[in-house]
Amino acid sequence: MNVAIIKYNAGNIYSVVHALKRLGIEPDVTDNANDIGKADCVIFPGQGEATKTMNYLRANKLDKVITNLRQPVLGICIGMQLMCTYSEEGETSCLGIFDTKVLHFTPEKQEQKIPHMGWDTLTNISHPLFNGIDEGAFVYFIHSYFVPLNPFTIATNDYILPFSAALAKDNFWATQFHPEKSGIVGERILKNFLDYSQKCSNGHV
Amino acid sequence: MSLAKRIIPCLDVMNGQTVKGTNFINLRLAGDPVELGKRYSEENADELVFLDITASHEGRKTFTDMVQRVAAEISIPFTVGGGINELGDVERMLNAGADKVSINSAAIRNPELIGQIASHFGSQVCVVAIDAHLENNEWVCYLNGGRLKTEYRLFQWAKEASERGAGEILFTSMNHDGVKKGFANDALAILSETLPIPVIASGGAGCKEDFRDTFKQGKSDAALAASVFHYGEISIKELKTYLKQEGINVRL
């Protein structure tokens, strides 16, 4: 299977490459619109700042490339946030795939540290992305901005307030946490996405 | 709140080999930091820290190779420290696959480095490690692995580091380190209750109760230890089961 990872000015992209290699997949890290378009599935990962990364995507015309994708797409962390309509981080408009905003966490108590960093639970899971994953499983989060609950929410976490741990709309799936850094649970989540992509590419979905 | 308290084994690496011995049975390459890190990851360690204690230039290259292997083989977050003095060092470590870097002496010598790391790579990448010694009721910060005394004081410096963009503070009490009688919980509680960023406790772990106490009394977000894990005195699995029984939220 041909897996494309979108190359852009975000950090942590190679962690996803390593995670896929551990699952036996040799992904193509690329910013070439043609290669991305031809892939069986596309992963849009990263860690970074919203305005800088959005500006880069626009300058390299990757914004249109991503929104026009018809194959399965998995956004991770900043990737998921950029797939929303707007981010409070630098007050930038984003790709608009998920009709929801990205907001900054406002601590209510001193012990609520920002960023939300570390292992936290997945709750209210309801999507094939989480096949074989137990309610309450721990995954690794690291973020200061969050997506509120909305009609596309397929898993939640509660930190200061309940927010979206994952989103899905048609072929676009996304996680706020880092499956590539979430041990065995994360591996299963990535495998679920790859299995679904394989079925789509075989024409079984 | 469901954010888990973290248990972090720390591995000292010299010329590509872990320095402290291990009692792990059936571990063929106990001296290999990647094998040891993998073992800890399988035991449910939450993160790993690899400290480069090599002085030579060739050793640095070996360490970078090791970081690449860790990134390829281990699926939990890891921090690297030792010998990180400028932005280029940070970039080299992140490119090799590290999730975070820990800076200690370099942060005191050049506090602007903290802000540079935060603005280039994000605060979450920048762990500021502080070695401090309690002298006449003052926590005095030291450099160069505890050999050089400074004018800096723990609480003031931790606050400044946080304001400059540190993502976490890793505090090692030189009074408690190696004594195995518990962490510096009074100082840790002050740090945790005044800083807006997570605090990692380091120095003093001797038994399971010490971890419970640093989470409950020290209000630490994470606890780091080396020898009790390396020598097999405490298994991470058993430790986390114990902490859970004590009402502490950990990832099992």
Side-chain angles (χ1 to χ4, degrees), chain A residues 86-156:
Chain A
Y86 167 88
S87 175
E88 277 191 354
E89 187 175 23
E91 303 184 350
T92 181
S93 64
C94 301
L95 298 172
I97 293 164
F98 300 112
D99 186 14
T100 177
K101 288 182 179 179
V102 181
L103 308 175
H104 190 258
F105 276 125
T106 310
E108 290 164 356
K109 298 178 204 149
Q110 200 280 327
E111 65 262 32
Q112 292 168 337
K113 313 274 174 94
I114 308 297
H116 174 222
M117 170 163 43
W119 296 83
D120 212 331
T121 52
L122 290 174
T123 42
N124 303 306
I125 51 182
S126 59
H127 193 270
L129 183 59
F130 301 111
N131 281 347
I133 302 294
D134 293 332
E135 184 80 9
F138 278 96
V139 288
Y140 190 76
F141 288 88
I142 183 158
H143 59 126
S144 301
Y145 292 78
F146 71 97
V147 175
L149 300 184
N150 65 76
F152 308 111
T153 304
I154 54 166
T156 67

Side-chain angles (χ1 to χ4, degrees), chain B:
Chain B
M1 215 160 87
S2 53
L3 185 64
K5 299 286 189 182
R6 289 171 279 154
I7 299 293
I8 308 176
C10 177
L11 291 80
D12 288 350
V13 180
M14 189 187 264
N15 300 318
Q17 294 285 304
T18 37
V19 171
K20 287 166 184 166
T22 86
N23 275 352
F24 280 136
I25 308 162
N26 300 330
L27 193 59
R28 208 159 43 84
L29 298 164
D32 179 3
V34 183
E35 288 300 318
L36 192 53
K38 230 193 240 179
R39 174 67 172 259
Y40 288 139
S41 164
E42 284 160 10
E43 285 200 338
N44 269 351
D46 296 299
E47 291 183 32
L48 301 169
V49 171
F50 295 88
L51 281 185
D52 183 12
I53 57 167
T54 317
S56 70
H57 185 72
E58 298 75 39
R60 287 280 139 75
K61 171 80 176 65
T62 312
F63 188 74
T64 308
D65 293 345
M66 184 219 73
V67 171
Q68 284 173 340
R69 282 182 55 218
V70 172
E73 297 187 33
I74 298 178
S75 59
I76 60 169
F78 69 99
T79 302
V80 296
I84 291 169
N85 295 309
E86 52 186 51
L87 213 53
D89 297 326
V90 178
E91 195 167 9
R92 184 165 47 86
M93 286 296 125
L94 296 181
N95 284 341
D99 297 285
K100 310 178 193 179
V101 295
S102 160
I103 54 172
N104 190 335
S105 303
I108 287 188
R109 289 210 183 89
N110 174 20
E112 286 178 6
L113 181 61
I114 301 170
Q116 289 169 1
I117 296 172
S119 68
H120 276 81
F121 307 107
S123 282
Q124 78 284 345
V125 158
C126 184
V127 179
V128 172
I130 305 175
D131 296 338
H133 191 249
L134 185 62
E135 299 165 9
N136 305 319
N137 283 321
E138 271 200 313
W139 282 99
V140 181
C141 300
Y142 277 73
L143 293 183
N144 297 357
R147 289 188 294 272
L148 186 64
K149 191 169 173 170
T150 72
E151 297 296 309
Y152 283 78
R153 298 295 176 264
L154 171 65
F155 301 119
Q156 219 177 330
W157 171 231
K159 183 167 179 283
E160 181 184 337
S162 156
E163 286 164 359
R164 285 181 177 275
E168 282 175 289
I169 297 293
L170 165 56
F171 163 49
T172 303
S173 161
M174 292 164 60
N175 304 70
H176 296 72
D177 199 25
V179 181
K180 295 196 169 188
K181 287 193 172 162
F183 295 89
N185 293 325
D186 293 344
L188 283 159
I190 294 173
L191 288 173
S192 288
E193 283 168 355
T194 51
L195 297 175
I197 55 174
V199 175
I200 306 166
S202 162
C207 59
K208 291 177 198 166
E209 290 77 7
D210 295 336
F211 288 88
R212 173 197 63 194
D213 294 347
T214 201
F215 291 132
K216 287 199 169 173
Q217 294 158 25
K219 319 261 187 231
S220 307
D221 297 284
L224 177 142
S227 58
V228 289
F229 297 139
H230 301 328
Y231 292 109
E233 292 162 26
I234 299 178
S235 110
I236 293 176
K237 253 189 185 145
E238 282 169 27
L239 171 63
K240 291 181 105 179
T241 307
Y242 164 79
L243 291 172
K244 180 107 184 170
Q245 284 163 358
E246 292 289 313
I248 292 161
N249 183 29
V250 288
R251 179 181 70 109
L252 288 180

